[in-house]
Amino acid sequence: MKGLIIKSTGSWYIAKDKRNNIFNCRLKGKFRLENLKLSNPVVTGDIVEFVKDKFQKNSYLINKIIKRNNYLIRKSNKKKFYGHIIASNIDQALLISSIKNPFVKSGFIDRFLLSCNAYGIPGIIIYNKNDILNELEKKKLNEVINNYKKIGFYSTSISAKFENGIKDLKSLLKNKISLFMGNSGVGKSTLINKLCDKVNQKVSIISNKTKKGKHRTTFSEMFEINNKTKIIDSPGIKTFDLFNINRDEIKDYFPEFIRIKKNCKYYNCMHLKEPNCEIKNELGKSIWKRRYKSYLSIIEDYK
């Protein structure tokens, strides 16, 4: 039998076949992906083959993962040197962000975008909670959004609570499988509730003390807006550490660097302390200083 994994709890998986039949599955033996060490071999979005479990009633065993079109991965928080696949077979990845209650760090956003580039997945930034911003904050947010757009990343601001921007977002999601990611408290669950009529995700509450959200989504799950439009909701995460990407490759996943790096003195310039580096010459002009600061921070991670 063959089915699509629509929910992953880490030990049990729910698969759905083309007739919308539901199967509770677990792994048969150990799985590996391209010799990578993984904390979760099977993920939401996977197409799998499975058979009946002879020893457990109403249970099935996954014995094969159909080759993935793509996947987004980060370093596992629980197992050192292991990767954690967030989702597979997706058309785009949306980072639900905010600049207030909670404030999402630019380094987190840029690590997400870098990983999307590295694994060939369009990365999109959606800033939620524009309803709680004052005029100065709205102006600053618009500047950030415009800077990302200049680089080539789609970005916009919405209010899930008051459904501001939801219509345009639905158009962006139409006929695609989209991964939703974000820090706890950014309003990801509220947004999914607005997009999917039959879904009732528990909403995270912001702590008055820390101004951060508490985890509500504890596992990855796929929801349908319609037959052709699907959302994969992932648990809120605090950090996004890169996995299986070499230090020397980092510069190649910043699109704004690619356009002008040919003017650097050295063909293999890392844009750090090298003389006549065009990236450094363009800081504050064609190169956004905030992004370059993220680049330096990512490079520092490899020491």
Side-chain angles (χ1 to χ4, degrees):
M1 292 176 283
K2 184 184 291 186
L4 168 68
I5 298 296
I6 61 170
K7 186 174 181 178
S8 167
T9 66
S11 55
W12 283 90
Y13 309 89
I14 296 179
K16 184 168 74 171
D17 67 10
K18 290 185 178 180
R19 295 181 179 180
N20 291 325
N21 296 312
I22 298 297
F23 302 87
N24 291 313
C25 305
R26 58 189 179 91
L27 285 178
K28 181 180 180 181
K30 295 182 179 180
F31 279 77
R32 292 177 68 85
L33 175 68
E34 299 172 359
N35 294 319
L36 297 179
K37 291 183 177 180
L38 300 172
S39 60
N40 59 335
V42 177
V43 299
T44 302
D46 276 342
I47 306 294
V48 298
E49 291 182 0
F50 50 92
V51 296
K52 281 187 177 181
D53 189 340
K54 296 179 181 179
F55 303 102
Q56 193 164 345
K57 190 177 180 180
N58 298 324
S59 178
Y60 297 80
L61 295 174
I62 297 171
N63 56 17
K64 184 178 181 181
I65 304 171
I66 304 303
K67 186 177 180 181
R68 295 165 171 135
N69 294 325
N70 60 33
Y71 56 87
L72 189 61
I73 190 171
R74 66 184 179 95
K75 188 181 292 184
S76 172
N77 288 334
K78 297 179 179 180
K79 292 185 177 182
K80 193 175 183 180
F81 305 122
Y82 275 68
H84 180 89
I85 300 179
I86 302 163
S88 69
N89 301 320
I90 57 178
D91 296 305
Q92 55 191 9
L94 281 69
L95 183 67
I96 313 304
S97 186
S98 58
I99 65 167
K100 188 176 181 180
N101 293 349
F103 172 77
V104 178
K105 296 179 180 179
S106 57
F108 179 91
I109 296 171
D110 291 326
R111 281 170 171 79
F112 162 81
L113 292 173
L114 189 156
S115 195
C116 285
N117 272 352
Y119 288 91
I121 298 167
I124 295 168
I125 315 155
I126 306 295
Y127 286 95
N128 190 24
K129 303 189 178 185
N130 63 18
D131 56 285
I132 65 172
L133 305 181
N134 60 39
E135 291 305 313
L136 180 59
E137 289 166 336
K138 287 179 181 179
K139 183 179 179 181
K140 288 182 178 179
L141 176 57
N142 286 332
E143 290 175 356
V144 169
I145 288 172
N146 288 331
N147 276 323
Y148 276 119
K149 285 181 176 179
K150 287 177 184 177
I151 296 169
F153 297 112
Y154 182 87
S155 182
T156 190
S157 70
I158 65 167
S159 169
K161 183 177 180 180
F162 294 103
E163 300 191 22
N164 175 25
I166 296 298
K167 184 178 179 180
D168 290 339
L169 184 55
K170 283 185 175 180
S171 297
L172 182 69
L173 302 175
K174 188 176 180 181
N175 297 333
K176 293 178 180 177
I177 298 176
S178 305
L179 169 65
F180 276 32
M181 289 185 57
N183 291 162
S184 296
V186 294
K188 186 162 52 69
S189 295
T190 299
L191 179 57
I192 290 173
N193 289 340
K194 298 290 185 180
L195 293 168
C196 307
D197 296 334
K198 297 179 182 179
V199 176
N200 187 22
Q201 289 285 78
K202 290 182 180 180
V203 176
S204 179
I205 299 172
I206 299 294
S207 167
N208 290 327
K209 185 177 181 180
T210 66
K211 300 300 179 183
K212 295 179 180 180
K214 298 178 181 179
H215 293 294
R216 290 294 181 183
T217 304
T218 56
F219 45 77
S220 178
E221 186 170 5
M222 181 181 289
F223 301 107
E224 290 188 359
I225 296 179
N226 55 51
N227 289 335
K228 294 184 178 180
T229 306
K230 300 177 176 65
I231 293 171
I232 297 178
D233 185 22
S234 60
I237 59 174
K238 294 180 180 179
T239 60
F240 196 109
D241 294 322
L242 305 182
F243 182 75
N244 202 37
I245 299 175
N246 295 326
R247 180 179 183 272
D248 292 347
E249 297 176 315
I250 300 299
K251 63 183 184 301
D252 297 325
Y253 298 124
F254 279 73
E256 63 271 42
F257 290 5
I258 298 294
R259 297 170 194 146
I260 63 173
K261 71 172 188 177
K262 63 180 181 295
N263 296 321
C264 291
K265 181 177 181 180
Y266 301 107
Y267 77 94
N268 60 345
C269 182
M270 285 292 292
H271 321 309
L272 300 173
K273 296 180 180 179
E274 299 89 342
N276 297 329
C277 170
E278 190 66 11
I279 305 302
K280 289 186 291 182
N281 291 340
E282 285 294 310
L283 282 178
K285 291 179 276 188
S286 64
I287 299 297
W288 187 12
K289 287 184 179 180
R290 192 176 105 165
R291 283 273 289 178
Y292 182 70
K293 186 178 179 180
S294 289
Y295 171 72
L296 295 179
S297 176
I298 294 168
I299 290 294
E300 189 71 20
D301 290 344
Y302 284 77
K303 287 187 177 180

